[in-house]
Amino acid sequence: MSRELQTASARIPRVEELLSQMTLLEKAGQMSQHSWGFGSDDEAREYIAAGKLGSVLNAPSLEERNRLQQLALESRLGVPLVFGRDVIHGYKTIFPIPLALASSFDVGLAERTARAAAQEAAEVGIDWTFAPMVDVTRDPRWGRVAESFGEDPHLTAAMGVASVHGFQGRSPDEPGRIAACAKHFAGYGATESGKEYNTTWIPETQLRDVHLPSFQACVQAGVMTLMTGFNDLNGVPASGNAFLLRRILKGEWGFLGAVVSDWASMLEMIQHGSCADDTDVARVAASAGVDLEMASRTYLKHLPRLVEAGLVPLELVDDAVRRVLRLKHELGLFEHPFSKPPVTSVALSAEHLALAREAAQRSMVLLKNDGALPLAKSSRSVAVLGPLADAPLEQLGCWSYDGTLEAAVTPLSALRARLGQGVRVEHVAGLPDCRSSDESGIQAAVDAALAADVTLLFVGEPANLSGECRSRAFLDLPGSQGELCARLAATGKPLVLVVMAGRPLTIGEVCAQANAVLYAWHPGTMAGPALADVLLGDVAPSGKLPISFPRTVGQVPVYYAHKNTGRPPKQDRKQIPTGTPLDPTDFDASYLDVEVTPEFPFGFGLSYAKFEYDQLEVTPNQARAGDAIRIRVQLRNASDVPGDEVVQLYVHDRVGSLTRPVRELKGFQRVSLAPGERKCVEFTLTTDALGFCGADMVGRAEPGEFQIFVGGDSRAPLGGALVLV
Ligand code: BGC
């Protein structure tokens, strides 16, 4: 047996005992998951009764789960089922989408929202969620960017780990905890051209520096399961990728948990052209290290024969079954296989709604403000316009099918409630929905704006334009929303734009027309109250962008941690007046028709407060491997309102054996400051954090000079220096 397998096989007496009694078919059953509603559910019941299924995805209710569990317990060995479901950004109470949560740069918040989601799911018998998604992505065309934590490996890892802690707690068999699943291993976020399910080509050094650290961090945090991706990585589908699963995950990282395939992704290896038929699929996936097959049945059909024929070693099958049984053991399913309806449900409790409101407040990003926000207390009439002002379903975002629609409070209803009798609130949608090009309602919106002191315009994307299989090649506001915005801007009345979307949109033009722009993402159940809090100034916006916003699709991918190139741009946009002679000394890495910088950079976000940074100190400024480096900065709130600032620490390795990104995020802290308050913010950096994967695939920090930057976004000018000797 390989070293990888030996390290991975944690021996638990109950598991060993069961394993010793199992037939090959029962083992294949433990390695199979039925997806409720796909294929025959009656057949699945028969399989469960015969001890030939280990898990069920999306069983419809607590009662059904208990009935299925009863069948499993009555089977020959009585191994309980484990029930999975996608509980991604909330169950009944819907929290902001993950990309929004990442904008909070608040790991405590990510942990608390995951915990609340786990509590609501656990009380209806869900044991296991398929979250967090820790795919790093730099492509807003990809619909799943909504479900990601954005473009940065450090931020993604931090949010991923916090989510794992929130779902699993110290132990997932505690009441109100469920098993987490870091997905999609690996590289799915690099999908070529932003097209869903597309090929990924990632050099190993980049894979190890950018795409794997978030998964490794989740493994170190004790995540119980991982899911493979739909993508093929460098020619090998992730669900049959022994390099990823056996060598890195189970070998180098010593992962003891279970690997589940994505939905039918094993079977899709036939379409990828890497397997001939479903026998081949079972052989390839089992050999590569997929422990549990989601939705398809190739293991059940073929694995026993493959083992008998010597084509798949029995040790590999035993290792996979051990992992699945260990998951059930750690979830406490052998002791508590059934779920009881709660005496008092926590779903949509006042506490969870308050948390949803807080999470939404903290994740909104103020992109522009000429003073139009917060709304003046003197406003006597407000025009609440746009197709998303009163669209409860859309504000919930992409993974909200269990969310309670009736609980969603829209901006219109919250503003009406908050502004009370003294302020006239006029609502006109202007467009039938945000994808519509029917402009017949725009004039009514214009009339409402003309009659009001200020216009709040709610535009963006509906929930179903982001998420899985929702790639877009254009990133502008869909339908006639751009026209609606232009017509309202032309009224000359103050215009505040609130954008709700599941991805960065190319909104430079509409931003230029508005007085203020608040990017709210899809904020969830409590979108309305949270928006009212921010727009009315009870809470200052504090979110920062976890992903760069392109000016135009043609810039994609545009991200802050890019390389310098041999000819960094001399100016943001190349100017070539007609007739300009060829001048090779002026050739640089720029565009002729658009600036080279993004519309809004990573880490960017305004507040009603104003923050000033100074006195950056790096001690020691000559460090040796293993030293702790202290980086301190003075932060001051130079305004008369309280606010939170996300202080960000970036590093640039000036000379490397491989070229290094111009900046890399290495730390962040959310700091609350009263008006006029000054605080010293301190980071401790280990020299390990300065390392990267070298050409020999070994990670290490190389001696030399490093630049250190601290500030409020990825362009932070305040710098210091460090030498690693
Ligand atoms: C998605 C996964 C999800 C799974 C189960 C797949 O289509 O890619 O992220 O967890 O379905 O619903």
Side-chain angles (χ1 to χ4, degrees), residues 556-574:
V556 173
V558 57
Y559 53 95
Y560 85 91
H562 59 81
K563 300 288 182 74
N564 204 33
T565 79
R567 296 187 179 189
K570 299 191 182 87
Q571 56 199 37
D572 203 12
R573 181 171 174 169
K574 184 126 236 102

Side-chain angles (χ1 to χ4, degrees), residues 57 86 130 144 183-184 227 230 262-263 294 399 468:
L57 164 69
D86 294 282
F130 302 111
R144 297 200 88 160
K183 69 188 186 185
H184 307 81
M227 184 187 288
F230 283 122
D262 202 345
W263 207 92
M294 183 186 281
W399 272 116
E468 185 173 351

Side-chain angles (χ1 to χ4, degrees), residues 33 35 57-58 85-86 88 129-131 133 144 147 181 183-184 188 196-197 227-228 230 261-264 294 399 401 468:
Q33 182 183 64
S35 178
L57 164 69
N58 292 341
R85 186 150 179 94
D86 294 282
I88 310 292
T129 180
F130 302 111
M133 179 174 126
R144 297 200 88 160
E147 200 185 340
C181 179
K183 69 188 186 185
H184 307 81
Y188 185 29
E196 184 63 295
Y197 311 129
M227 184 187 288
T228 60
F230 283 122
S261 71
D262 202 345
W263 207 92
M294 183 186 281
W399 272 116
Y401 49 50
E468 185 173 351

Side-chain angles (χ1 to χ4, degrees), residues 334-348:
F334 288 97
E335 284 76 26
H336 311 288
F338 297 105
S339 300
K340 283 199 218 92
V343 183
T344 323
S345 169
V346 293
L348 299 165

Side-chain angles (χ1 to χ4, degrees), residues 443-656:
Q443 188 54 46
V446 169
D447 294 342
L450 287 170
D453 294 331
V454 59
T455 294
L456 300 178
L457 175 60
F458 294 83
V459 290
E461 283 183 320
N464 68 3
L465 275 200
S466 57
E468 185 173 351
C469 199
R470 297 291 183 265
S471 292
R472 293 184 62 194
F474 294 95
L475 295 176
D476 45 0
L477 288 169
S480 289
Q481 295 182 100
E483 176 63 15
L484 175 62
C485 187
R487 294 272 306 277
L488 292 171
T491 62
K493 291 289 182 134
L495 176 62
V496 174
L497 206 64
V498 177
V499 186
M500 295 194 202
R503 56 157 64 76
L505 295 174
T506 48
I507 48 165
E509 210 173 308
V510 290
C511 283
Q513 296 164 355
N515 298 83
V517 181
L518 183 64
Y519 215 83
W521 309 104
H522 286 135
T525 305
M526 295 299 273
L531 274 161
D533 295 334
V534 171
L535 295 170
L536 299 176
D538 297 341
V539 174
S542 55
K544 300 276 188 169
L545 297 178
I547 183 163
S548 310
F549 273 42
R551 294 173 192 271
T552 171
V553 178
Q555 285 182 313
V556 173
V558 57
Y559 53 95
Y560 85 91
H562 59 81
K563 300 288 182 74
N564 204 33
T565 79
R567 296 187 179 189
K570 299 191 182 87
Q571 56 199 37
D572 203 12
R573 181 171 174 169
K574 184 126 236 102
Q575 305 292 341
I576 307 280
T578 311
T580 304
L582 206 61
D583 174 8
T585 63
D586 198 31
F587 286 6
D588 63 13
S590 61
Y591 294 107
L592 291 178
D593 44 8
V594 72
E595 285 76 1
V596 74
T597 49
E599 187 74 55
F600 299 107
F602 177 86
F604 174 77
L606 304 169
S607 171
Y608 301 149
K610 189 170 174 304
F611 300 103
E612 289 175 356
Y613 290 80
D614 62 9
Q615 296 175 38
L616 178 69
E617 286 168 35
V618 181
T619 19
N621 48 24
Q622 286 228 346
R624 294 181 180 283
D627 283 356
I629 302 143
R630 218 175 53 185
I631 294 149
R632 301 170 99 186
V633 74
Q634 297 295 324
L635 176 69
R636 190 171 89 87
N637 179 353
S639 74
D640 56 6
V641 292
D644 280 13
E645 169 69 329
V646 176
V647 181
Q648 301 157 47
L649 167 68
Y650 295 89
V651 164
H652 173 220
D653 183 350
R654 299 193 64 153
V655 180

Side-chain angles (χ1 to χ4, degrees), residues 199-487:
T199 291
T200 58
W201 289 103
I202 312 176
E204 189 176 334
T205 50
Q206 191 183 4
L207 189 70
R208 289 181 182 272
D209 279 346
V210 176
H211 298 276
L212 295 185
S214 50
F215 286 95
Q216 189 174 13
C218 289
V219 168
Q220 283 165 351
V223 71
M224 300 194 67
T225 68
L226 253 81
M227 184 187 288
T228 60
F230 283 122
N231 55 308
D232 61 326
L233 172 68
N234 303 333
V236 183
S239 298
N241 199 312
F243 167 74
L244 285 175
L245 300 177
R246 288 233 182 264
R247 182 154 141 217
I248 295 184
L249 177 66
K250 296 180 178 180
E252 289 178 24
W253 300 351
F255 178 61
L256 295 176
V259 174
V260 61
S261 71
D262 202 345
W263 207 92
S265 64
M266 279 172 44
L267 208 52
E268 287 165 18
M269 291 199 283
I270 299 173
Q271 298 291 341
H272 276 289
S274 67
C275 289
D277 51 30
D278 48 353
T279 312
D280 210 18
V281 164
R283 181 185 61 77
V284 169
S287 309
V290 177
D291 305 312
L292 186 55
E293 176 174 13
M294 183 186 281
S296 49
R297 296 267 163 86
T298 69
Y299 280 168
L300 257 181
K301 281 198 223 144
H302 304 293
L303 208 46
R305 257 191 314 108
L306 284 164
V307 174
E308 278 157 5
L311 294 170
V312 173
L314 179 63
E315 289 92 323
L316 296 188
V317 172
D318 284 350
D319 177 70
V321 177
R322 271 192 188 99
R323 290 165 185 272
V324 174
L325 294 179
R326 178 172 177 266
L327 171 67
K328 297 178 178 186
H329 170 80
E330 298 209 345
L331 279 165
L333 289 170
F334 288 97
E335 284 76 26
H336 311 288
F338 297 105
S339 300
K340 283 199 218 92
V343 183
T344 323
S345 169
V346 293
L348 299 165
S349 63
E351 197 190 326
H352 287 187
L353 293 177
L355 179 60
R357 182 174 183 164
E358 180 192 346
Q361 288 166 351
R362 289 180 164 231
S363 52
M364 293 172 187
V365 187
L366 183 65
L367 296 178
K368 174 180 179 181
N369 190 16
D370 69 1
L373 285 179
L375 291 185
K377 298 259 185 287
S378 57
S379 305
R380 300 281 35 108
S381 58
V382 180
V384 177
L385 310 179
L388 291 179
D390 197 27
L393 181 66
E394 312 309 356
Q395 74 187 39
L396 295 185
C398 56
W399 272 116
S400 54
Y401 49 50
D402 290 311
T404 304
L405 186 59
E406 303 70 44
V409 187
T410 67
L412 176 65
S413 65
L415 284 163
R416 280 212 165 113
R418 284 291 301 282
L419 291 169
Q421 301 292 326
V423 180
R424 194 169 58 83
V425 174
E426 186 72 26
H427 168 59
V428 178
L431 295 167
D433 61 67
C434 50
R435 293 172 72 178
S436 174
S437 300
D438 172 0
E439 297 182 2
S440 58
I442 293 186
Q443 188 54 46
V446 169
D447 294 342
L450 287 170
D453 294 331
V454 59
T455 294
L456 300 178
L457 175 60
F458 294 83
V459 290
E461 283 183 320
N464 68 3
L465 275 200
S466 57
E468 185 173 351
C469 199
R470 297 291 183 265
S471 292
R472 293 184 62 194
F474 294 95
L475 295 176
D476 45 0
L477 288 169
S480 289
Q481 295 182 100
E483 176 63 15
L484 175 62
C485 187
R487 294 272 306 277

